Amino acid sequence: MADDESRTILLEKNEDCPGCIIDRTKQQQRGVPYLHLSFIWLVSLCTALPISSLFPYIYFMIRDFHIAKQEEDIGFYAGFVGSSFMIGRALTSIFWGKLADRYGRKPIILIGTFSVIIFNTLFGLSTSFWLAISVRFLLGCFNCLLGVIRAYASEVVSEEYNALSLSVVSTSRGIGLILGPAIGGYLAQPAEKYPNIFSQSSVFGRFPYFLPSLVISVYATAVLIACWWLPETLHTRCRIAQGRLNPTELNDDESRGGGLDEQKIINKPSLLRNRPLMAIIIVYCVFSLQEIAYNEIFSLWAVSDRSYGGLSFSSQDVGEVLAISGLGLLVFQLLVYPPLKKSVGLLAVIRLSAVLLIPLLSCYPYIALLSGMTLHLVINCASIIKNALSISLVTGLFIMLNKAVPQNQRGAANGISMTAMSVFKSFGPAGGGVLFSWAQKRQDATFLPGDEMVFLVLNLVQLVGLILTFIPYISQIQ
């Protein structure tokens, strides 16, 4: 009770501090904070679209670069395009997280949104493999949105809606899995698909992958404009902003009505010594590696020829599958996940999802034996279930990560998690591409031929992640 009274005094004394304004707003909050959730949704979608839109057409983009000497090598080169983004993000995530803790969440979100406009547009104009890799690397370096918006989501709403706000971050990824693949699948190579609208001599004919990038950049421009009205959550105009104060720990002078400058100064604990946080990050990294490798492999597997164990899908077919599974993910995230988490707990949902993913992925090589409407029905159902289970893992880990640290370290903590996750994800597309290319060359092997080996490796990584969820420190954050 005394802490609450001290907190009220503190907020009243910092009327110009945006973080204090947000704290007062949360105290007076009644009902679901739709406006704040809308900002979170818009920004999270902005970082999801450039990644998800790439999957339906990356195979054809690499083919058109004429760098692969044979068809089986396309997956090898495609993996490095995805990895370049993750490497760039790994190198800068901690830097952006620390800047967000020092200068606020809003300016970093604005920078990240602006980078999407510039580098995503340039990617669509790429005419060579090396230019595409370079632009994706720079996009990763400046794309600081996901880690910062996760910290922001845990701060802008009251504790009652904390799980909902972090779920919005994951749900926007579901929207990204609907819109991104649809944009990439339907708008790539427009001169070939819609010759009555786009001519081969137009800019979209000469740059067949520019249109989906342009559409996403236009959306990012709208988000950038909207973010000018984004409320800041960090205490940037009082000493709390620098992480030197614990606002609930006041000295005797403050309790007697003393000034703010007389509060007790404390040092930040080291994040690297926060064992629950480090345990969560490790688990998150393993599951992220498996997820990005799956995304890379699925797109390559779906468009590869049936003679190589694939589905012979077009980029439009892949876009439809990913869009439908994304829609199923959205329904699951809004209607099923909240009551499920409440009834069985975060950790139980994470472990259950990890267990169920293993037999599901084991069925994928046999889906390629189907055809016609049966094939489309089964692959869509499998993709919906796969995405729902994966998002349950990610959302639970998001919530636990932000619970493991105080506000003045959330930017840095999410920066560390993004760095570690991006390092792992940088191996995912490249490793997945290499693994897929190798598997296509061993279709007649006696032991786990072709794609059976690919999905076995994915399951092994999934099993490692499941085992790591039993690290004792993780159960401390329930």
Side-chain angles (χ1 to χ4, degrees):
M1 186 69 179
D3 285 348
D4 292 338
E5 293 175 355
S6 300
R7 181 65 173 166
T8 302
I9 294 173
L10 176 69
L11 298 179
E12 290 175 351
K13 289 186 177 184
N14 293 276
E15 296 180 355
D16 294 330
C17 175
C20 295
I21 293 172
I22 282 291
D23 285 346
R24 286 196 294 273
T25 302
K26 289 191 291 186
Q27 290 178 350
Q28 302 166 1
Q29 194 175 79
R30 297 294 183 272
V32 180
Y34 291 107
L35 180 61
H36 296 323
L37 295 179
S38 297
F39 277 119
I40 295 170
W41 185 86
L42 289 171
V43 175
S44 300
L45 181 60
C46 189
T47 192
L49 287 177
I51 300 175
S52 60
S53 63
L54 184 66
F55 295 126
Y57 65 79
I58 184 61
Y59 184 92
F60 304 97
M61 191 180 199
I62 298 300
R63 183 198 62 188
D64 292 348
F65 286 153
H66 303 294
I67 192 171
K69 295 181 179 180
Q70 51 187 349
E71 186 177 353
E72 295 94 320
D73 294 329
I74 291 178
F76 174 82
Y77 290 100
F80 288 103
V81 175
S83 293
S84 61
F85 174 88
M86 297 301 169
I87 292 172
R89 193 162 69 177
L91 294 175
T92 59
S93 290
I94 294 178
F95 169 76
W96 291 118
K98 288 184 176 180
L99 286 184
D101 282 339
R102 182 169 183 178
Y103 298 107
R105 317 305 190 204
K106 181 177 178 177
I108 308 304
I109 289 173
L110 291 174
I111 292 172
T113 306
F114 183 71
S115 73
V116 173
I117 299 172
I118 301 300
F119 296 114
N120 190 65
T121 302
L122 292 175
F123 179 74
L125 296 171
S126 298
T127 56
S128 70
F129 174 72
W130 295 110
L131 178 59
I133 279 188
S134 300
V135 173
R136 291 290 290 185
F137 173 77
L138 291 173
L139 177 60
C141 287
F142 287 90
N143 193 314
C144 47
L145 293 174
L146 183 55
V148 176
I149 200 63
R150 277 165 35 186
Y152 182 86
S154 66
E155 300 165 354
V156 75
V157 298
S158 62
E159 180 68 25
E160 179 183 0
Y161 298 105
N162 188 256
L164 176 61
S165 65
L166 286 167
S167 293
V168 168
V169 177
S170 300
T171 302
S172 66
R173 175 181 174 275
I175 296 292
L177 288 174
I178 300 171
L179 296 180
I183 291 172
Y186 284 98
L187 300 184
Q189 302 168 309
E192 296 181 14
K193 295 175 181 175
Y194 317 107
N196 295 331
I197 302 176
F198 304 97
S199 67
Q200 290 289 348
S201 59
S202 68
V203 64
F204 300 111
R206 289 181 285 116
F207 301 98
Y209 308 101
F210 176 52
L211 184 57
S213 297
L214 178 63
V215 169
I216 293 171
S217 295
V218 170
Y219 169 76
T221 302
V223 173
L224 179 66
I225 295 172
C227 282
W228 284 108
W229 289 274
L230 187 77
E232 178 59 69
T233 59
L234 198 66
H235 296 266
T236 55
R237 295 186 184 177
C238 61
R239 293 173 66 189
I240 303 173
Q242 301 166 4
R244 293 177 295 177
L245 294 174
N246 183 338
T248 61
E249 291 188 18
L250 308 179
N251 63 10
D252 293 336
D253 292 334
E254 177 65 12
S255 299
R256 292 192 297 268
L260 178 65
D261 290 339
E262 294 176 347
Q263 294 181 40
K264 181 181 177 180
I265 297 177
I266 60 172
N267 295 320
K268 291 183 182 179
S270 171
L271 288 176
L272 297 179
R273 295 180 181 177
N274 186 330
R275 293 181 178 179
L277 173 65
M278 292 296 106
I280 293 170
I281 289 176
I282 290 172
V283 175
Y284 178 47
C285 286
V286 174
F287 285 134
S288 296
L289 171 64
Q290 195 272 354
E291 181 184 19
I292 194 67
Y294 166 82
N295 289 335
E296 181 76 17
I297 288 170
F298 177 81
S299 298
L300 297 173
W301 171 65
V303 300
S304 63
D305 192 83
R306 282 189 171 273
S307 61
Y308 294 107
L311 305 181
S312 294
F313 277 9
S314 66
S315 61
Q316 185 171 319
D317 292 329
V318 176
E320 289 177 356
V321 172
L322 295 178
I324 291 172
S325 63
L327 180 60
L329 170 60
L330 177 61
V331 173
F332 173 85
Q333 190 71 10
L334 293 178
L335 302 180
V336 180
Y337 180 77
L340 181 64
K341 176 187 73 68
K342 186 176 181 179
S343 61
V344 303
L346 280 175
L347 194 54
V349 172
I350 292 172
R351 289 171 177 168
L352 178 62
S353 300
V355 169
L356 294 178
L357 276 168
I358 294 175
L360 176 65
L361 289 179
S362 300
C363 297
Y364 269 60
Y366 305 100
I367 294 177
L369 302 177
L370 304 175
S371 61
M373 185 58 67
T374 304
L375 170 62
H376 285 270
L377 179 62
V378 172
I379 194 63
N380 277 297
C381 290
S383 295
I384 290 172
I385 297 172
K386 166 67 174 65
N387 284 334
L389 295 174
S390 294
I391 209 66
S392 298
L393 290 171
V394 173
T395 301
L397 292 170
F398 279 177
I399 296 172
M400 296 179 75
L401 185 146
N402 282 286
K403 283 184 176 182
V405 292
Q407 185 202 30
N408 60 6
Q409 289 186 307
R410 282 189 190 133
N414 279 281
I416 292 174
S417 73
M418 289 302 298
T419 296
M421 179 266 288
S422 296
V423 170
F424 274 68
K425 280 195 170 184
S426 67
F427 290 104
V434 171
L435 176 63
F436 181 78
S437 180
W438 172 67
Q440 286 204 321
K441 297 175 181 177
R442 58 185 307 276
Q443 295 294 326
D444 299 324
T446 55
F447 177 72
L448 296 174
D451 298 323
E452 291 185 25
M453 177 62 75
V454 172
F455 290 102
L456 173 66
V457 173
L458 289 177
N459 272 334
L460 290 176
V461 177
Q462 185 73 22
L463 180 60
V464 171
L466 172 62
I467 294 172
L468 290 175
T469 61
F470 291 90
I471 296 176
Y473 299 112
I474 292 180
S475 60
Q476 298 176 10
I477 317 175
Q478 285 292 316

